[in-house]
Amino acid sequence: MKKNKPKYKLIIDAAVEVIAENGYHASQVSKIAKKAGVADGTIYLYFKNKEDILVSVFEEKMGQFIEQIVSATSEKEDANKKLLTLIEMHFRQLAEDHYLAIVTQLELRQSNIDLRLQINNVLKPYLVVIDEIIKEGIEQKLFRDDLNRKLVRQMIFGTLDETVTNWVMKDEKYDLVSLAPSVHALITNGLSVK
Amino acid sequence: MKKNKPKYKLIIDAAVEVIAENGYHASQVSKIAKKAGVADGTIYLYFKNKEDILVSVFEEKMGQFIEQIVSATSEKEDANKKLLTLIEMHFRQLAEDHYLAIVTQLELRQSNIDLRLQINNVLKPYLVVIDEIIKEGIEQKLFRDDLNRKLVRQMIFGTLDETVTNWVMKDEKYDLVSLAPSVHALITNGLSVK
Amino acid sequence: MKKNKPKYKLIIDAAVEVIAENGYHASQVSKIAKKAGVADGTIYLYFKNKEDILVSVFEEKMGQFIEQIVSATSEKEDANKKLLTLIEMHFRQLAEDHYLAIVTQLELRQSNIDLRLQINNVLKPYLVVIDEIIKEGIEQKLFRDDLNRKLVRQMIFGTLDETVTNWVMKDEKYDLVSLAPSVHALITNGLSVK
Amino acid sequence: MKKNKPKYKLIIDAAVEVIAENGYHASQVSKIAKKAGVADGTIYLYFKNKEDILVSVFEEKMGQFIEQIVSATSEKEDANKKLLTLIEMHFRQLAEDHYLAIVTQLELRQSNIDLRLQINNVLKPYLVVIDEIIKEGIEQKLFRDDLNRKLVRQMIFGTLDETVTNWVMKDEKYDLVSLAPSVHALITNGLSVK
DNA sequence: AATGAATGAGGCTTCATTCAT
DNA sequence: CATGAATGAAGCCTCATTCAT
């Protein structure tokens, strides 16, 4: 399996750095190869083409990202705590990996639609995690049972994504993780005075 | 002022169609010129460069978009009704203009970061509108007064944007506008059982 | 029509020279552009791709080649004289255009099969000319009427082609045109003592 | 001597198949190695470079080809019968080996001129055989004694080669070997009514 | 003001060959 | 002898922009 070969990870990590530093469109294969310390041709022993590098970057990094969240949320008992944990982990992981934040929030969105559809596939497991928390919350009678669950998921993901993108675009000047409780409160309690 | 010359609008409209039909990366200047019925060189009498076309597209279309929303919300009395109207108008305008929906939700996001920063500037007035509704809601004691307003704005915009993008990516197969009340309820009342 | 534009001919002629001087595989598009005195990109205003240049080279040059032969043979009365004229013209035209001889006999044969099939299409009118001379010769009772005409055509073309190729490969050291009567005699009278 | 080692022949045969199946330009060394069941590097223990494989292919196959013809013609008594036998054997061997026919008539001609000059060297013994038959025919007073023998050889080889190439390009749809007597008659008796 | 022919920089990918094991 | 992972040079083509008319 190619993913276990040492150069595979080398190239993936180089790609993240190069994309974060140069931007998506200025990320030539030759730049990635140089940063990874391999020949240009070597890239093509591990990846079908340039797009395959990018999809793989997302798969690898997003895979770990989601795994961390799944693992952390599964330890919590109720849906409310799970949701808070999900938000915290979402923010924390991106706050801790500057390159990853830039790549996922800004650069990979410049890819063409085909690639974006593939990226969406990678994201699906994350959306499933959110779905399950919503379902659990309803079962536990913590969340209202008249909810359009798909809409709820879109609200949660849209809110987190927009929050992180704003933070990245503001050069990460404030503490993202500390926003988690407020975001959680907003999502669960809404705007209205009770 | 160039914007009043007849070919300016011709080119802008051609650009929207070309981008919607071909996708951002397959939208060459020559294609836009052809669709507009002008020579390639003529484009450069009205626009500094290709990026300027795209920014202008966004400015023109987004300007109208926001104007409609401002006008519609100003007629409503309280912040709750204003927010519902904003959501409805946001959804309706994109639902009614297929090309605009594709261009704003999918294609223009493939532009490079510089362009995206300019697009963000164009978006600012819309964010201000949201801000003002929030402020008004707090003053009218409809919304809680312990809110991080910037966060609220990100939640609102992130939720709407994610909802529309999902709808576009699902080929606009369901009725977007009819989702407005549910989205409004979610945002104002949150997930939790009261 | 592109063929009437001055740069079209310029590029075709440059291509013949470049191919003759450098060989088929070392004939980069950029070399042809340089020799033609145009930018690389200009080539693509007149030709679809590199292969299109090569097919066009063959079409243009072979078109003239065949036209000359048709015109010269049509003035002759009987099939024997027509055949002699065809052989002479075939030899003379290649003997007079060193570049053309190299390109048709040696370089274009290195092209891939798709291109060769297209080249064969261009050659068809020439084969038709040969066919008609054979037919006429039979009608005039100059040639035997028990001939497999396709085979005769292959013999004639194969003999001429092999003769020219040998001459080119021997660096055109002897007079090709003066061989015409002998070749004609061979073809019409065969090897055998009568 | 390397030629006696088992892998030498293995590689030669693999090369013929790969070239016949994929075409000259799509015949990578790695494909030949795979078909031969050896590592890429092993090829270079037996051959200097890729061109050396191709020359060797031609040497080996053409060597057998010529040997068969020499052996068969030497049993015949007069030059006429020898020539007929040569034509029959030429056709038969290619008709019986589909791969060889494609490789010699179509694919190897795409090689560059250096390689083609080497291939011509390999062909020389065949041309010598033809020369000797012509000479014998003249001595036996079967053929005219005013012949330009080099020209005759070119006619014979050109005719056979063109006939076979046409047959290969027509997907070998008709019986090549049965054409031998007609070709022989054409060459010996010519076109003219006696 | 309008044209559109011409420009030319720039990057992904292939594949013959090498060499450490 | 044999392997096969790694190398890295090399070229076709696109398309935003210009400028002579």
Side-chain angles (χ1 to χ4, degrees):
Chain A
M1 174 102 188
K2 287 205 163 150
K3 300 203 176 184
N4 297 324
K5 303 233 174 130
K7 305 218 162 155
Y8 179 85
K9 197 172 156 14
L10 218 54
I11 294 167
I12 291 278
D13 289 341
V16 175
E17 280 190 51
V18 168
I19 295 171
E21 285 170 359
N22 301 278
Y24 178 81
H25 283 113
S27 291
Q28 297 89 337
V29 172
S30 60
K31 245 180 217 163
I32 296 173
K34 197 169 187 181
K35 172 93 68 178
V38 301
D40 290 19
T42 305
I43 300 268
Y44 291 87
L45 297 176
Y46 294 89
F47 301 91
K48 220 170 47 254
N49 49 34
K50 187 181 177 180
E51 182 167 313
D52 190 27
I53 306 176
L54 302 171
V55 175
S56 302
V57 162
F58 205 75
E59 280 176 354
E60 290 293 316
K61 296 298 178 180
M62 211 58 203
Q64 296 166 19
F65 181 91
I66 295 170
E67 215 169 287
Q68 291 282 327
I69 292 179
V70 169
S71 151
T73 55
S74 66
E75 293 170 2
K76 305 293 167 180
E77 281 173 16
D78 72 62
N80 254 327
K81 285 177 186 156
K82 284 189 177 179
L83 184 56
L84 177 59
T85 302
L86 178 140
I87 296 170
E88 278 175 348
M89 291 295 294
H90 187 132
F91 287 177
R92 175 168 299 125
Q93 292 191 73
L94 293 170
E96 282 176 353
D97 191 337
H98 174 58
Y99 285 150
L100 185 64
I102 292 178
V103 169
T104 59
Q105 302 305 121
L106 302 184
E107 301 302 343
L108 280 183
R109 319 223 164 173
Q110 297 176 52
S111 53
N112 62 38
I113 292 190
D114 281 347
L115 178 51
R116 291 239 294 292
L117 287 173
Q118 290 191 63
I119 287 179
N120 276 351
N121 266 336
V122 180
L123 268 183
K124 257 182 199 160
Y126 187 39
L127 302 181
V128 169
V129 172
I130 298 179
D131 269 341
E132 283 168 358
I133 293 177
I134 299 166
K135 207 164 127 191
E136 202 175 328
I138 294 172
E139 283 165 2
Q140 293 171 340
K141 302 204 189 295
L142 295 169
F143 299 159
R144 289 153 46 200
D145 62 1
D146 60 345
L147 297 167
N148 176 335
R149 270 157 43 195
K150 187 177 162 195
L151 221 53
V152 172
R153 187 227 294 153
Q154 288 170 13
M155 176 188 66
I156 294 174
F157 186 80
T159 300
L160 300 187
D161 194 55
E162 179 73 13
T163 306
V164 177
T165 298
N166 268 275
W167 169 79
V168 172
M169 282 196 156
K170 289 277 189 275
D171 294 329
E172 312 181 0
K173 277 207 280 264
Y174 47 89
D175 183 11
L176 181 64
V177 181
S178 66
L179 294 179
S182 306
V183 172
H184 180 254
L186 256 186
I187 290 173
T188 51
N189 299 324
L191 299 176
S192 302
V193 175
K194 294 302 146 62
Chain B
M1 173 89 186
K2 287 202 167 156
K3 300 202 175 184
N4 297 323
K5 303 235 174 132
K7 299 204 173 165
Y8 179 85
K9 195 172 157 19
L10 222 51
I11 294 168
I12 290 281
D13 288 341
V16 175
E17 279 190 53
V18 168
I19 296 171
E21 285 171 357
N22 302 279
Y24 180 81
H25 283 113
S27 291
Q28 297 86 345
V29 172
S30 60
K31 241 182 217 162
I32 296 173
K34 194 170 187 181
K35 172 93 69 179
V38 302
D40 292 19
T42 305
I43 299 269
Y44 290 87
L45 299 174
Y46 294 88
F47 300 91
K48 215 167 60 248
N49 51 33
K50 187 180 179 182
E51 185 168 309
D52 189 25
I53 307 176
L54 301 172
V55 175
S56 302
V57 162
F58 207 75
E59 279 176 356
E60 291 293 317
K61 296 297 176 183
M62 212 55 204
Q64 297 166 19
F65 181 92
I66 295 170
E67 216 168 285
Q68 291 282 326
I69 291 178
V70 170
S71 152
T73 55
S74 65
E75 295 170 0
K76 305 293 168 179
E77 284 173 13
D78 70 60
N80 253 327
K81 284 176 186 157
K82 284 188 178 180
L83 184 57
L84 177 58
T85 303
L86 179 140
I87 296 170
E88 277 174 347
M89 291 294 294
H90 187 132
F91 287 177
R92 175 168 300 128
Q93 292 190 73
L94 293 169
E96 282 175 354
D97 191 339
H98 173 57
Y99 285 154
L100 186 65
I102 292 177
V103 169
T104 58
Q105 303 306 121
L106 301 184
E107 301 301 341
L108 279 184
R109 320 222 161 174
Q110 298 177 51
S111 54
N112 63 40
I113 292 187
D114 283 346
L115 178 52
R116 290 235 298 290
L117 288 172
Q118 291 193 60
I119 287 178
N120 276 351
N121 267 336
V122 180
L123 267 182
K124 259 184 197 158
Y126 187 40
L127 302 181
V128 169
V129 172
I130 299 178
D131 269 342
E132 284 169 356
I133 293 176
I134 299 166
K135 209 163 127 191
E136 201 176 330
I138 296 173
E139 283 164 3
Q140 294 171 338
K141 304 212 186 284
L142 294 170
F143 299 161
R144 289 151 48 199
D145 60 2
D146 60 344
L147 296 167
N148 174 335
R149 269 153 48 191
K150 186 178 163 195
L151 218 54
V152 173
R153 187 229 294 154
Q154 288 170 12
M155 175 188 66
I156 294 174
F157 186 80
T159 300
L160 300 188
D161 194 57
E162 179 74 11
T163 306
V164 177
T165 298
N166 268 273
W167 169 78
V168 173
M169 280 196 156
K170 287 275 189 278
D171 294 328
E172 312 181 358
K173 276 207 279 265
Y174 47 90
D175 183 13
L176 181 62
V177 181
S178 67
L179 292 179
S182 307
V183 172
H184 180 253
L186 255 186
I187 289 174
T188 51
N189 298 324
L191 298 177
S192 301
V193 174
K194 298 296 148 69
Chain C
M1 174 112 190
K2 286 202 166 157
K3 298 203 175 183
N4 298 322
K5 303 232 174 130
K7 304 218 165 159
Y8 179 84
K9 197 174 155 16
L10 219 55
I11 294 167
I12 290 279
D13 289 340
V16 175
E17 279 190 53
V18 169
I19 295 172
E21 284 171 359
N22 301 279
Y24 178 82
H25 283 112
S27 292
Q28 297 90 338
V29 172
S30 60
K31 244 181 218 163
I32 296 174
K34 197 169 186 182
K35 171 92 68 178
V38 301
D40 291 19
T42 305
I43 300 268
Y44 292 88
L45 297 176
Y46 295 89
F47 301 92
K48 225 174 41 254
N49 50 35
K50 187 182 177 182
E51 182 168 313
D52 190 27
I53 308 175
L54 303 171
V55 175
S56 301
V57 162
F58 205 74
E59 279 175 355
E60 290 292 317
K61 296 298 178 182
M62 211 56 202
Q64 297 165 19
F65 181 90
I66 294 170
E67 217 169 285
Q68 292 282 325
I69 292 179
V70 169
S71 153
T73 55
S74 66
E75 294 170 1
K76 305 294 170 181
E77 280 173 16
D78 71 61
N80 253 327
K81 284 176 186 158
K82 285 188 177 178
L83 184 57
L84 177 58
T85 303
L86 179 140
I87 296 170
E88 278 174 347
M89 292 295 295
H90 187 134
F91 287 178
R92 175 168 300 127
Q93 292 192 73
L94 293 170
E96 282 175 355
D97 191 337
H98 173 59
Y99 285 151
L100 185 65
I102 291 178
V103 168
T104 58
Q105 303 306 122
L106 302 184
E107 301 301 342
L108 280 183
R109 320 223 162 174
Q110 298 177 50
S111 54
N112 62 39
I113 291 189
D114 281 346
L115 177 51
R116 290 238 296 292
L117 288 173
Q118 291 192 63
I119 287 179
N120 276 350
N121 266 335
V122 180
L123 268 183
K124 260 185 196 157
Y126 188 39
L127 302 180
V128 169
V129 172
I130 298 178
D131 270 339
E132 283 169 357
I133 293 176
I134 298 166
K135 208 163 125 191
E136 203 176 327
I138 295 173
E139 283 165 2
Q140 294 172 337
K141 303 208 185 292
L142 295 169
F143 299 160
R144 288 152 47 199
D145 61 2
D146 62 343
L147 297 167
N148 175 336
R149 270 152 49 191
K150 188 178 162 196
L151 220 52
V152 173
R153 187 228 294 154
Q154 288 170 11
M155 176 188 64
I156 294 175
F157 187 80
T159 300
L160 300 187
D161 194 57
E162 180 73 13
T163 306
V164 177
T165 298
N166 268 274
W167 170 78
V168 173
M169 281 197 157
K170 287 277 188 277
D171 294 327
E172 312 180 1
K173 277 207 281 261
Y174 47 89
D175 182 11
L176 181 63
V177 181
S178 66
L179 292 179
S182 306
V183 172
H184 179 255
L186 255 185
I187 290 174
T188 52
N189 299 323
L191 299 177
S192 302
V193 174
K194 295 300 148 67
Chain D
M1 172 92 186
K2 283 200 167 154
K3 300 202 176 184
N4 297 323
K5 302 236 173 130
K7 298 203 172 166
Y8 179 85
K9 193 173 158 16
L10 221 52
I11 294 168
I12 291 279
D13 288 340
V16 175
E17 278 191 53
V18 168
I19 295 172
E21 285 171 357
N22 301 279
Y24 180 81
H25 283 113
S27 292
Q28 297 86 343
V29 172
S30 60
K31 241 181 219 162
I32 297 173
K34 195 169 185 181
K35 172 93 68 178
V38 302
D40 292 17
T42 304
I43 299 267
Y44 290 86
L45 300 175
Y46 293 88
F47 300 91
K48 212 167 62 252
N49 50 32
K50 188 181 178 182
E51 186 169 308
D52 189 25
I53 307 176
L54 301 173
V55 175
S56 302
V57 162
F58 207 75
E59 278 176 357
E60 291 292 318
K61 296 297 177 181
M62 212 57 203
Q64 297 165 20
F65 181 90
I66 295 170
E67 213 168 289
Q68 292 281 325
I69 292 179
V70 169
S71 151
T73 55
S74 67
E75 293 171 2
K76 304 293 167 180
E77 282 174 14
D78 70 63
N80 253 327
K81 283 177 187 156
K82 285 189 176 178
L83 184 56
L84 177 59
T85 302
L86 178 140
I87 296 170
E88 278 174 347
M89 291 295 295
H90 187 133
F91 287 178
R92 175 168 298 127
Q93 291 191 73
L94 293 170
E96 282 174 354
D97 191 338
H98 174 58
Y99 285 154
L100 186 64
I102 291 177
V103 169
T104 58
Q105 302 305 122
L106 302 183
E107 301 302 341
L108 279 185
R109 318 222 162 173
Q110 296 177 52
S111 54
N112 62 40
I113 292 189
D114 284 346
L115 178 51
R116 292 235 296 290
L117 288 172
Q118 292 191 60
I119 286 178
N120 276 350
N121 268 334
V122 180
L123 267 182
K124 260 185 195 157
Y126 186 40
L127 301 180
V128 170
V129 171
I130 298 178
D131 270 342
E132 284 170 355
I133 293 177
I134 297 166
K135 207 163 126 190
E136 200 175 330
I138 294 173
E139 284 166 1
Q140 294 172 338
K141 306 209 185 289
L142 294 170
F143 298 159
R144 287 153 47 200
D145 61 3
D146 61 344
L147 297 167
N148 175 335
R149 268 154 48 194
K150 188 176 162 198
L151 219 53
V152 172
R153 187 228 292 154
Q154 288 169 13
M155 176 187 67
I156 295 175
F157 186 79
T159 301
L160 299 187
D161 194 54
E162 180 72 13
T163 306
V164 176
T165 298
N166 267 275
W167 170 79
V168 172
M169 281 196 156
K170 288 275 189 278
D171 294 328
E172 312 181 1
K173 275 206 278 266
Y174 48 90
D175 182 11
L176 180 63
V177 181
S178 66
L179 293 178
S182 305
V183 173
H184 179 254
L186 256 186
I187 289 175
T188 52
N189 299 324
L191 299 176
S192 302
V193 174
K194 297 298 149 65

